[in-house]
Amino acid sequence: FAPAMALHLAEIERIANNPQPADFDNTIVPLELAGKPLRKVQALFWHRAGTDSTPAIQALEREIGPELARHQSAIFMNDALFARIDALHDKRTETGLSSEQIRVLEQHYKSFVKQGAKLAAAEKQKLAGIDQRLAALAAQFGQNVLADEKDWVLVLENKEDLAGLPDSLIAAMAEAAAQRGHDGKHVVTLSRSIIEPFLVSSARPDLRQTAFDAWAARGQNGGDSDNTDIVAETLKLRDEKAQLLGYESFAALKLDGTMAKQPKAVEGLLGKVWPAAKASAAGHAALLAGIAAEEGHNEPLKASDWRYYTARLREREFDLDEAVVKPYLQLENMIEAAFDVAARLFGLSFSELADVAGPHPDARVFEV
């Protein structure tokens, strides 16, 4: 990360300090292309952090988030660079640029303005501090959720607890139990590969409720992994950032540059959609409640029941059973299909390299 950021800043300085008058080719084009080594490092690191995190990687994640925010601030608050972009933006319709080039230029201009390029020096420093703190909070938020996902398990003690579960899920739960020291038993974890199919398949409403409550409460269970204070500080800092940049709210800041443009446009659309969506959901809930009643479940439908009875409705109306479909979606079949599509669309070929070690025992390496 350190040398990649240094290379990126060197590229930015060359663009900003170019003695030639600013034009699209000597300012926007190199700005678009700058930072390739950093993008590569980020892609590799965040993929690893999201798929095979370790305490060391998590520590680096907490450290690198604010560092990257500081790096971005140094670029967006580079006065010489923004002066070139600003000059191009002022005469964007007068220099023969194509509509695509104008669009790219406008996007860069808007990004710089929204990152504080027009602020006074003291305000820039304050905004940079806010961005660094927000990056640190975001990293901690995600790690707290991950901690709850890793630490929580529901141990299933007997065969009755497995009612309704497909064989593939039972096998995965047995493997998860063995990894956690519960040999001979089965566990429900909060990883999506287990919790989602469990909520869909389990015929035990009490176990579904326990698992769903834990899943919904990730990051809100108290202790070191609780996100309550992080959410409160994040909202406060987002509001400060928006006000600093001249926006009424953080929502207004985020929507500026999107098709909606303003929060009231989003609220207007949601207001129009809401009655029909609510009616549709109520109709669906009535169908699910009917199926539940047929199965002897006469209590009001709960959130933990929704996936289970939706699956029963699909089986009834469309003769669709995910357990029957799943064998066609095995990993090897999906890899073969993805490579086949890439070959036909882009002319790419893939060959596995058995003698190259990946970052994890399950990782496989291919030459493209």
Side-chain angles (χ1 to χ4, degrees):
F1 269 110
M5 284 190 285
L7 285 170
H8 192 196
L9 288 179
E11 292 174 309
I12 294 300
E13 287 298 320
R14 284 195 294 272
I15 300 167
N17 298 322
N18 189 335
Q20 300 297 319
D23 60 31
F24 192 88
D25 289 333
N26 68 19
T27 301
I28 303 303
V29 170
L31 183 59
E32 281 275 305
L33 299 175
K36 185 176 180 180
L38 180 57
R39 287 194 295 273
K40 184 174 182 180
V41 172
Q42 285 181 287
L44 292 168
F45 176 75
W46 295 116
H47 175 73
R48 181 70 182 274
T51 57
D52 185 30
S53 190
T54 65
I57 288 178
Q58 288 188 337
L60 181 56
E61 193 177 5
R62 293 192 297 270
E63 178 184 348
I64 205 63
E67 286 292 329
L68 286 171
R70 187 179 296 111
H71 174 75
Q72 290 297 321
S73 294
I75 295 172
F76 284 116
M77 297 178 187
N78 185 310
D79 292 334
L81 177 60
F82 180 66
R84 296 177 71 86
I85 296 171
D86 193 22
L88 287 173
H89 185 261
D90 283 344
K91 55 182 181 180
R92 60 191 182 281
T93 60
E94 305 168 8
T95 52
L97 295 178
S98 68
S99 59
E100 292 86 353
Q101 289 173 319
I102 291 175
R103 171 66 173 167
V104 171
L105 173 57
E106 288 176 341
Q107 288 294 93
H108 277 290
Y109 175 82
K110 177 70 75 173
S111 295
F112 272 73
V113 172
K114 290 171 71 173
Q115 290 295 328
K118 285 190 169 184
L119 296 178
E123 293 174 324
K124 287 181 178 179
Q125 186 174 1
K126 181 178 180 180
L127 181 61
I130 290 174
D131 284 339
Q132 290 165 36
R133 179 58 181 161
L134 283 172
L137 291 172
Q140 190 62 60
F141 180 96
Q143 290 184 10
N144 286 349
V145 172
L146 184 62
D148 280 0
E149 289 181 352
K150 285 184 174 181
D151 294 343
W152 187 89
V153 294
L154 173 61
V155 181
L156 306 185
E157 302 286 351
N158 50 57
K159 288 186 177 181
E160 288 75 19
D161 293 342
L162 305 177
L165 304 182
D167 291 342
S168 58
L169 179 57
I170 291 174
M173 292 165 60
E175 182 180 351
Q179 291 173 351
R180 290 163 173 78
H182 299 287
D183 293 325
K185 298 182 179 181
H186 301 79
V187 299
V188 181
T189 72
L190 298 182
S191 69
R192 285 191 178 272
S193 60
I194 288 182
I195 185 68
E196 286 270 16
F198 180 80
L199 292 173
V200 167
S201 306
S202 175
R204 290 281 302 275
D206 56 332
L207 298 180
R208 293 201 306 267
Q209 184 71 62
T210 300
F212 181 86
D213 288 346
W215 195 35
R218 289 168 297 166
Q220 200 177 0
N221 289 307
D224 293 338
S225 63
D226 193 275
N227 276 329
T228 304
D229 291 341
I230 290 177
V231 170
E233 185 179 355
T234 298
L235 291 174
K236 178 177 178 292
L237 290 174
R238 284 179 171 182
D239 186 62
E240 286 184 22
K241 178 175 180 174
Q243 299 295 328
L244 198 58
L245 292 167
Y247 291 87
E248 291 184 359
S249 65
F250 187 73
L253 168 61
K254 293 298 288 184
L255 289 171
D256 186 15
T258 68
M259 185 164 57
K261 293 183 173 59
Q262 297 178 347
K264 64 181 181 181
V266 177
E267 292 167 359
L269 176 62
L270 292 177
K272 292 177 182 178
V273 171
W274 175 249
K278 186 177 179 181
S280 176
H284 189 67
L287 290 174
L288 301 186
I291 297 174
E294 291 176 13
E295 296 186 0
H297 184 80
N298 297 314
E299 297 179 9
L301 207 66
K302 300 176 181 178
S304 56
D305 299 322
W306 197 270
R307 288 171 175 80
Y308 177 78
Y309 287 112
T310 295
R312 307 293 80 76
L313 180 63
R314 281 200 301 266
E315 292 171 5
R316 179 175 299 192
E317 291 195 345
F318 307 111
D319 193 24
L320 177 60
D321 184 349
E322 290 188 4
V324 176
V325 175
K326 193 167 184 177
Y328 295 95
L329 303 178
Q330 292 177 5
L331 178 60
E332 290 301 324
N333 293 345
M334 301 309 297
I335 293 174
E336 182 181 352
F339 287 176
D340 178 65
V341 170
R344 285 189 282 147
L345 285 180
F346 308 118
L348 300 178
S349 61
F350 302 81
S351 56
E352 186 165 6
L353 304 178
D355 58 341
V356 179
H360 185 277
D362 291 342
R364 294 159 63 182
V365 181
F366 293 82
E367 183 176 6
V368 184

